[in-house]
Amino acid sequence: MNYKIVNIRTTAESDPQDSILIIYTGGTVGMVFDEDASLAPFNFSKVLEKIPEISQFKLKITVISFPVPIDSSNITPKNWGDLAYIIYENYSQYDGFVILHGTDTMAYTASALSFMLEGLKKPIIFTGAQIPVGHIRSDARENLITAIEIASTKENGEPVINEVCIYFNFVLLRGNRSQKVRSSTFAAFESHKYPALAESGIFIEYNHASLNKPKAGAKLTIKNMFDPHVAILKLFPGLQKEVVESFFSIPDLKGVVLETYGSGNTINADWFIQCLQNAIERGIIIFNVSQCAGGEVIQGRYETSKKLDQIGVLSGGDITTEAAVTKLMFLLGTEKSMKKVKQKLVVPLKGEMDF
Ligand code: ASP
């Protein structure tokens, strides 16, 4: 790929010790209105022009831009791979990484990267904006400046953050626990089932107890294989048998995230359970994730989820749909056997779910 690389001139003395790599993928943060008044991504120079304060950081800051900035609605697993490679190739040269990304699929990309990067000991901070940087009320300035601050924060010479996060509207969240929950206010993201990792006010207060603890001696490696033969089936009252049958007959389908009610409850009519059972017998993995923002899947708590355990539906516990679908694609792409995929799905890989 033809990345554009720009070194930002900062007011720091000749050789700042700490360094940050910003990766610009696109999103509202850098968008401008085109002729028909819809928002389209623009290149990073516009972002820099509008936030000149960045140059006051006593840091070495480099920006790598995707050749064509994209609206994150068009992100694909190929882009996740590109991001992972950029981080991998530049890992030893920078203290932290900030990824500017559209908000629509930021939680998916952050989840995917958390699974791809093994042995991470540096901060990867995703951020973006709800209003483009050129607008007087844009949230881009605060989001980007604080994301850089967090990505460069160290204690006793070690980075405070050692994981993939989303920083947005004064809170730092674990990436694979986050969900975009609002499209019209600045508080776009929430992590309902895991505490915020930091809050930004006059000081940035870190929630040390909830941060990932890096493994001693860990070395960064990446795994970049996603199997896209997955789908999400969301339950609703009135869901028809023909729909479910034709859903499970999708050719080459390997895994399904089943979005269930409450604590993992489904329609328990015989036809529905039979459809699930037939699919499982044909080798399709079914991963049970709740539609509720809070709480978790507990198969067997109600009559309406008892049979799921018996037929081999796997419980997603408190995982989000975003983390569940990326984890399923990742494990199907990287594990050698379906047995291993099933074993790893139900346990946390990168703090995306509780035990
Ligand atoms: N559609 C935009 C995107 O995800 C929305 C945003 O950035 O807020 O790229």
Side-chain angles (χ1 to χ4, degrees), residues 242-306:
E242 303 74 59
V243 173
V244 178
E245 277 175 349
S246 88
F247 177 93
F248 281 111
S249 65
I250 296 169
D252 301 324
L253 187 64
K254 292 188 188 156
V256 171
V257 171
L258 184 66
E259 270 204 9
T260 56
Y261 306 125
S263 50
N265 307 317
T266 60
I267 305 156
N268 65 352
D270 288 346
W271 68 264
F272 184 76
I273 299 296
Q274 197 58 55
C275 278
L276 300 187
Q277 191 168 354
N278 292 347
I280 291 167
E281 280 165 8
R282 281 176 24 238
I284 295 173
I285 290 176
I286 303 183
F287 197 32
N288 184 356
V289 174
S290 174
Q291 294 176 14
C292 289
E296 63 186 312
V297 168
I298 307 173
Q299 290 186 168
R301 179 165 184 194
Y302 288 86
E303 189 65 38
T304 42
S305 66
K306 235 186 199 158

Side-chain angles (χ1 to χ4, degrees), residues 14-80:
S14 47
D15 241 342
Q17 277 205 327
D18 295 330
S19 53
I20 293 295
L21 179 65
I22 298 175
I23 307 169
Y24 174 63
T25 68
T28 295
V29 61
M31 287 187 182
V32 287
F33 285 103
D34 58 18
E35 300 93 61
D36 67 354
S38 55
L39 284 166
F42 207 73
N43 69 41
F44 192 75
S45 55
K46 277 273 177 271
V47 180
L48 281 183
E49 268 170 36
K50 305 290 177 195
I51 318 182
E53 299 92 326
I54 291 177
S55 65
Q56 288 172 33
F57 276 111
K58 302 270 181 277
L59 295 166
K60 176 188 164 209
I61 302 179
T62 307
V63 182
I64 293 185
S65 285
F66 271 23
V68 182
I70 42 180
D71 185 308
S72 79
S73 308
N74 287 319
I75 285 275
T76 65
K78 152 96 179 60
N79 301 121
W80 300 340

Side-chain angles (χ1 to χ4, degrees), residues 179 181 190-193 290-295 318 320:
Q179 294 185 291
V181 293
E190 267 181 35
S191 156
H192 297 280
K193 301 174 198 174
S290 174
Q291 294 176 14
C292 289
D318 60 357
T320 62

Side-chain angles (χ1 to χ4, degrees), residues 26-29 31 41 70-74 101-106 128-131 168 180 183:
T28 295
V29 61
M31 287 187 182
I70 42 180
D71 185 308
S72 79
S73 308
N74 287 319
H101 190 288
T103 57
D104 286 346
T105 61
M106 192 185 286
Q130 292 282 60
I131 302 184
F168 218 91
K180 181 173 178 180
S183 58

